[in-house]
Amino acid sequence: MKKIAFIICFIFTFGFGFSQIKSNEKLVYAASYNMSGLMTQLAQVTMNTETIKTSKKTFLHLSWEAATFSKWDNYFKIRDMYETYVDPVTLKPSLYKRDIYEGGYTKTEKYIFSANGNSINSTTKKRNRPETKKAFAVSSSTRDIISMIYKLRTINFSQYKPGQSASFIIVFDEKEYPVYVKYMGVETISAGPLGKKQCLKLSVTAKTDKLKGKDKNLIWITADASRVPVLIRFSIPVGTGQLMLSNASGI
Amino acid sequence: MRKLYVISAVFFAVLGIVFTILPLGTIAFLPIGITLILSFLAIYKSKFNQQKLPKIILFISVLTFLVVIGKVIFVRDIVASDKLFEQNKVESKKEDIKDLEGL
């Protein structure tokens, strides 16, 4: 379960490029899994952005939600929610939350980042186990997976040469993972509701056994200013799949 | 040989029915396709008075094939409204704002 959650989220991490992240943006994807050579649609993945104001500060609320299509709910229901509150300009996270339900398995996580970003206070609860609290040190550049997704969108990959990589550190399950995103060039692909679009092709690798193969975890993001991730292909130890943009608004 | 075709056809026909009932989409075409081939072979290898069972299997495979086509065309992929999930989201957001006020 942990692997599935990580992989789904991880795959989503790398579809993004050079743009200012707007509030009220909504991107909807159809998630498919390759079964015996045929893609079967399993779930809907929705990404939202929203401005949240407190008495002291303004945050950008970034959320990622995965829900299985109703036809699958009786067999393997998924209701996953990943969210983070970030600085609207730097996209540095202050609060990250993960609440997953995957076929009966549940887990909640809350990370509160220190002001300098060097430590995290986490609160975790797995299915039937008691809640645990932990404080641990992280690198100042470490991000949660969702803010990482959006940060990636602000990178100007057009200045990169094919083969050149950007590196990041993400924190997941209270562990840090180095992640590399390789720019592979420009391709024109069908971008669902956006029609045919020129896209930047990116390859994602991470020092984890959760992603498989070389250049098999790929993301295509539009080469325009909105940098919308339109197609994500992933390869994991138990198979391959993809996320295809099915609806986009506020971009 | 005929027995092998019939037994295999029955096995794949059952698999085809299971796949048709489950929301596996076009994957069900795999066992259904194999059933079609095996049932044709079984009919071909059977004497006239032995063709009843292979013909029934063939009929089942055609039926499941049509059901799968119908499901692919008419059943839309939608996410069911989940009130508990939505309620949790609202409550979670209220908690988050409290946490953010404290930062």
Side-chain angles (χ1 to χ4, degrees):
Chain A
M1 286 315 146
K2 206 162 84 174
K3 274 190 179 178
I4 295 171
F6 178 89
I7 288 155
I8 294 172
C9 200
F10 190 86
I11 282 147
F12 236 82
T13 298
F14 304 101
F16 307 82
F18 178 61
S19 67
Q20 181 67 41
I21 304 302
K22 289 179 191 168
S23 185
N24 298 319
E25 180 191 81
K26 186 177 180 183
L27 304 172
V28 183
Y29 298 83
S32 310
Y33 188 73
N34 189 341
M35 292 182 183
S36 307
L38 296 164
M39 284 289 178
T40 303
Q41 291 207 344
L42 296 176
Q44 181 174 284
V45 174
T46 309
M47 296 188 72
N48 276 310
T49 63
E50 185 190 4
T51 301
I52 298 285
K53 286 183 180 175
T54 65
S55 56
K56 298 173 201 163
K57 228 178 148 188
T58 300
F59 294 91
L60 193 59
H61 178 218
L62 313 172
S63 66
W64 176 89
E65 192 184 312
T68 36
F69 289 121
S70 55
K71 64 182 182 181
W72 281 101
D73 283 350
N74 290 332
Y75 305 98
F76 193 84
K77 186 177 175 178
I78 294 175
R79 292 291 183 275
D80 287 357
M81 185 76 182
Y82 292 78
E83 50 193 330
T84 185
Y85 293 84
V86 299
D87 181 288
V89 179
T90 63
L91 302 184
K92 221 166 164 36
S94 294
L95 172 66
Y96 162 77
K97 281 177 82 176
R98 174 182 170 205
D99 188 346
I100 61 168
Y101 177 94
E102 291 169 355
Y105 175 84
T106 59
K107 185 174 182 178
T108 57
E109 270 185 323
K110 181 163 85 175
Y111 294 169
I112 295 177
F113 289 76
S114 63
N116 58 13
N118 286 330
S119 67
I120 290 172
N121 282 312
S122 76
T123 310
T124 307
K125 184 165 182 355
K126 280 183 195 171
R127 195 159 39 181
N128 298 321
R129 294 183 197 166
E131 189 178 89
T132 57
K133 288 179 187 270
K134 188 178 165 186
F136 56 97
V138 290
S139 150
S140 59
S141 59
T142 298
R143 298 173 168 277
D144 64 82
I145 200 151
I146 303 299
S147 64
M148 166 74 202
I149 293 169
Y150 285 90
K151 185 65 185 174
L152 192 61
R153 288 178 66 178
T154 65
I155 293 173
N156 190 359
F157 278 105
S158 56
Q159 287 181 350
Y160 281 53
K161 287 176 186 168
Q164 204 176 338
S165 296
S167 63
F168 305 91
I169 302 170
I170 60 160
V171 60
F172 197 84
D173 282 334
E174 298 174 334
K175 280 182 198 156
E176 286 182 284
Y177 294 91
V179 172
Y180 306 96
V181 182
K182 185 167 75 179
Y183 171 65
M184 296 183 75
V186 178
E187 276 183 11
T188 302
I189 64 161
S190 171
L194 306 179
K196 280 213 167 213
K197 281 271 182 186
Q198 204 175 46
C199 293
L200 307 177
K201 186 180 177 184
L202 306 171
S203 169
V204 181
T205 50
K207 283 187 178 171
T208 167
D209 57 355
K210 294 171 179 78
L211 294 181
K212 223 181 115 188
K214 196 188 171 208
D215 295 336
K216 288 195 173 171
N217 295 286
L218 300 164
I219 293 158
W220 285 261
I221 62 172
T222 56
D224 56 16
S226 60
R227 288 290 199 261
V228 176
V230 293
L231 175 64
I232 297 157
R233 287 203 178 127
F234 57 90
S235 177
I236 55 177
V238 290
T240 58
Q242 69 175 35
L243 290 120
M244 182 79 207
L245 185 72
S246 59
N247 203 357
S249 60
I251 54 174
Chain B
M1 203 61 176
R2 177 193 168 269
K3 257 189 184 172
L4 181 70
Y5 287 143
V6 173
I7 292 166
S8 307
V10 169
F11 172 76
F12 281 104
V14 172
L15 206 63
I17 293 167
V18 173
F19 276 38
T20 305
I21 294 165
L22 290 172
L24 290 169
T26 49
I27 289 168
F29 286 139
L30 287 174
I32 292 169
I34 294 168
T35 311
L36 278 168
I37 295 164
L38 289 169
S39 54
F40 271 121
L41 287 169
I43 291 168
Y44 178 73
K45 289 279 180 185
S46 302
K47 289 174 189 163
F48 185 74
N49 60 351
Q50 293 176 319
Q51 287 182 348
K52 195 177 174 185
L53 182 59
K55 279 182 180 172
I56 290 171
I57 300 165
L58 181 66
F59 174 74
I60 290 169
S61 61
V62 171
L63 201 67
T64 46
F65 181 83
L66 293 173
V67 171
V68 173
I69 294 253
K71 279 173 85 173
V72 168
I73 295 170
F74 298 111
V75 179
R76 295 258 166 254
D77 284 329
I78 49 157
V79 173
S81 153
D82 193 327
K83 280 183 187 169
L84 186 67
F85 186 59
E86 293 303 319
Q87 197 182 324
N88 284 345
K89 273 166 45 180
V90 173
E91 282 168 16
S92 168
K93 203 174 198 175
K94 281 181 191 166
E95 265 181 47
D96 296 347
I97 290 169
K98 271 186 199 170
D99 284 330
L100 292 169
E101 287 285 2
L103 293 178

